[in-house]
């Protein structure tokens, strides 16, 4: 059995594994895809002290750093269930898709999240070539350019307000007849001179030229007419879905949106089970934050272990 078993091999999981291994305790990492969302990222310019790097480069550096320690890395392993310890301080079980199960005295959940796609022609083709999902990450790449934000919930409206301060013009596209964001955000958005809000609009296609985004088409749902907007960037903001479906029957408390509830130490509702990164309630889904939270959850797991009476 492990002392610390980390589920997920993104920035949060890698940080948790390094911190645990440095305590000299038995550490394992099981991940469906080591590297996580970082593998899908092009340029990273907000990882402080590293002015610029690329996703695949950071992903392999994450894995290399973990491999420098005595950590049992189980890549391409998907967790499908968690069974809490039967007795206080007992072993927690994590079931894998391949039928095997792993046991550990503590578990750190860091299975991350995924952006919901609009699934229109051009989205996949121009991902990282004008189609973006993270305004904190990619906003500055569109300085002085024209962008659209798809989605009029809180994250879409926050993104539009944020981007309006950087880019030349923002078109906010909402499917419904009205925005769903908090009133205070909507008032702020309406006060900005370089933002146009289009409601009852269904995005139908993202266009490109010379390998880059050049426009977006939407259907006016009231008049069935199709309109085209010329622009250089599209931010898709229709939801970030935590990869926590596999925890539904585990007893780990999740919010209605599926985020793992954690306290300020990264502890979940189940003793010995900790969590970090995009899968949790911790706000602002960023690499630097996921790594810090992973380190914190790992130190909390160690603190939990040293308080257990030897069996
Ligand atoms: P993830 O990176 O999502 O990793 C989750 C891990 O868990 C993966 O290894 C995954 O395979 C594994 N996993 C999932 N489910 C299971 C399961 N059931 N069993 C086993 N393993 C599982 N942030 C920045 O700070 N700067 C940027 O420039 C930036 N750009 C981005 C660009 C894009 C296109 C995207 C998508 C995100 C970007 N982000 C950026 C956000 C950043 O990538 C995330 O905040 C960060 O990766 C979260 O780390 P994490 O470890 O919590 O989760």
């Amino acid at each position: 059995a492990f002392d610390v078993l980390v589920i997920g091999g993104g920035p949060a999981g890698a940080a948790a594994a390094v911190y645990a291994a440095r305590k000299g305790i038995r550490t394992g990492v099981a991940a469906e895809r080591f590297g996580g969302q970082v593998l899908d990222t092009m340029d990273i310019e907000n990882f402080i002290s590293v002015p610029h790097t690329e996703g695949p480069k950071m992903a392999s550096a994450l894995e290399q750093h973990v491999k420098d320690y005595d950590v049992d890395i189980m890549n391409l392993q998907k967790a499908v269930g968690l069974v809490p310890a039967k007795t206080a301080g007992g072993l927690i079980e994590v079931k894998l898709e391949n039928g095997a199960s792993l046991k550990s005295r503590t578990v750190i959940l860091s299975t991350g999240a995924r952006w919901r796609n609009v699934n229109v022609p051009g989205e996949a083709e121009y991902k990282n070539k004008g189609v973006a999902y993270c305004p904190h990450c990619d906003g500055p790449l569109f300085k002085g350019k024209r962008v659209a934000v798809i989605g009029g919930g809180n994250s879409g409206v926050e993104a539009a307000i944020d981007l309006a301060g950087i880019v030349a013009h923002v078109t906010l596209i909402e499917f419904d007849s009205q925005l769903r964001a908090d009133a205070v955000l909507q008032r702020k958005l309406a006060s900005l001179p370089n933002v146009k809000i289009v409601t009852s609009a269904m995005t139908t296609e993202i266009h490109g030229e010379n390998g880059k985004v050049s426009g977006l088409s939407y259907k006016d749902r009231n008049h069935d007419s199709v309109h085209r907007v010329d622009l250089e960037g599209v931010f898709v903001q229709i939801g970030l879905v935590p990869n926590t479906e596999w925890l539904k029957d585990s007893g780990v408390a999740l919010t209605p949106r599926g985020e793992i509830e954690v306290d300020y130490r990264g502890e979940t509702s189940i003793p010995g089970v900790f969590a970090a990164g995009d899968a949790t309630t911790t706000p602002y889904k960023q690499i630097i934050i996921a790594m810090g939270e992973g380190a914190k959850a790992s130190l909390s797991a160690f603190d939990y272990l040293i308080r257990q009476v030897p069996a």
Side-chain angles (χ1 to χ4, degrees), residues 41-265:
T41 304
M42 281 282 283
D43 299 299
I44 300 168
E45 300 185 337
N46 58 2
F47 189 65
I48 307 310
S49 85
V50 181
H52 177 262
T53 185
E54 279 146 24
K57 203 167 144 194
M58 180 183 270
S60 75
L62 286 177
E63 189 163 1
Q64 199 46 57
H65 199 171
V66 175
K67 282 184 172 159
D68 283 351
Y69 292 90
D70 188 11
V71 174
D72 194 349
I73 300 183
M74 295 157 278
N75 199 2
L76 310 179
Q77 296 298 334
K78 184 172 184 181
V80 292
L82 180 144
V83 184
K86 307 266 179 302
T87 52
L91 292 175
I92 300 153
E93 183 183 350
V94 173
K95 294 183 172 166
L96 301 180
E97 196 176 46
N98 68 9
S101 76
L102 303 169
K103 294 208 166 100
S104 184
R105 296 173 68 203
T106 64
V107 172
I108 298 175
L109 306 169
S110 54
T111 46
R114 57 190 189 273
W115 291 97
R116 195 171 275 141
N117 295 326
V118 275
N119 292 319
V120 296
E123 181 184 30
E125 195 178 344
Y126 296 110
K127 196 172 263 185
N128 291 326
K129 295 171 188 151
V131 175
Y133 297 83
C134 173
H136 309 304
C137 312
D138 296 338
L141 302 175
F142 296 91
K143 187 165 187 235
K145 298 186 174 163
R146 298 162 299 178
V147 304
V149 171
I150 302 177
N154 277 341
S155 54
V157 172
E158 281 166 13
I161 294 169
D162 172 0
L163 290 165
I166 304 171
V167 305
H169 188 266
V170 181
T171 307
L172 182 103
I173 312 264
E174 165 60 41
F175 181 83
D176 207 348
S177 57
Q178 55 184 27
L179 303 183
R180 285 161 294 121
D182 297 341
V184 57
L185 291 173
Q186 293 197 37
R187 277 199 297 276
K188 173 74 191 181
L189 186 70
S191 76
L192 299 173
N194 60 340
V195 175
K196 182 179 174 194
I197 301 166
V198 187
T199 54
S200 301
M202 183 174 85
T203 305
T204 53
E205 185 169 354
I206 296 169
H207 308 280
E209 261 164 50
N210 305 322
K212 284 195 217 147
V213 166
S214 62
L216 173 148
S217 286
Y218 67 87
K219 188 169 95 178
D220 178 334
R221 295 172 60 228
N222 294 327
H223 302 98
D224 252 11
S225 52
V226 174
H227 303 261
R228 185 188 157 124
V229 188
D230 291 328
L231 42 71
E232 289 75 41
V234 176
F235 283 80
V236 181
Q237 295 290 303
I238 53 175
L240 183 68
V241 187
N243 299 319
T244 56
E245 292 86 352
W246 66 284
L247 291 167
K248 286 223 167 89
D249 303 319
S250 66
V252 173
L254 306 175
T255 65
R257 291 184 45 221
E259 290 179 335
I260 303 166
E261 287 180 8
V262 286
D263 67 8
Y264 72 103
R265 305 168 65 93

Side-chain angles (χ1 to χ4, degrees), residues 17-38:
V18 168
Y19 267 73
R22 286 172 61 82
K23 296 293 185 191
I25 54 183
R26 285 161 302 176
T27 306
V29 185
E32 202 176 346
R33 196 171 63 124
F34 208 96
Q37 290 171 72
V38 173

Side-chain angles (χ1 to χ4, degrees), residues 272-306:
V273 180
F274 302 82
D278 283 14
T280 71
T281 45
T282 300
Y284 311 121
K285 312 307 190 201
Q286 295 283 283
I287 295 165
I288 201 162
I289 292 174
M291 282 193 193
E293 294 291 306
K296 190 166 80 179
S298 197
L299 293 174
S300 296
F302 183 70
D303 201 51
Y304 168 91
L305 286 169
I306 61 175

